[in-house]
Amino acid sequence: MHEEKLTFIKNDLFSLLNNITSETNAKWGKMNAQQMVEHLAAIFNVSTEKIIFDLVTPEEHLPKYKEFLLSDKIFRENTKAPVTIIGEEPLPFQYQSYNEAVENLHEAVENFEIFFKDTPERKSLHPVFGMLNFDEWILLHYKHVTHHLRQFGM
């Protein structure tokens, strides 16, 4: 298991998010800080099957996507998820404030660990990367959160 990456997600992520406010400008992309935090929480909710999407990647492309996931490569700036998943524009706020959004993300991260705790071989569907186990989700969440932290200069 990628314990250091999980520790980063559970701890360092939130320390870094404390350095961002709702007024922090992104270096790229359309999301503001609160939308980014709410987006991160949504992806954690995908990993715990609270949000369900169909697979959008053709089966024959999954090995190439899995290879990227298992590599040390990062998401490039302005990497876009398929429009069919999140749309062209950022979603409206789900929470009244940035701090509430961060609290919700913290809960989503805790739920992620609980979801896989007793059955680490359990898998859930990511709409682009396919069926992922706990370890693979850790890698994906790590790549994803660090991508968005870089988006906001962290």
Side-chain angles (χ1 to χ4, degrees), residues 55 57-67 128-130:
L55 181 66
T57 303
E59 292 281 337
E60 64 270 16
H61 294 274
L62 287 175
K64 181 177 69 171
Y65 281 69
K66 189 74 68 108
E67 183 181 326
V128 173
F129 290 94

Side-chain angles (χ1 to χ4, degrees), residues 91-103:
L91 296 172
F93 291 144
Q94 301 294 306
Y95 294 91
Q96 294 295 315
S97 71
Y98 174 78
N99 289 339
E100 280 184 47
V102 171
E103 287 175 27

Side-chain angles (χ1 to χ4, degrees), residues 79-98:
T79 297
K80 292 189 178 11
V83 172
T84 55
I85 297 172
I86 62 169
E88 268 306 314
E89 298 300 320
L91 296 172
F93 291 144
Q94 301 294 306
Y95 294 91
Q96 294 295 315
S97 71
Y98 174 78

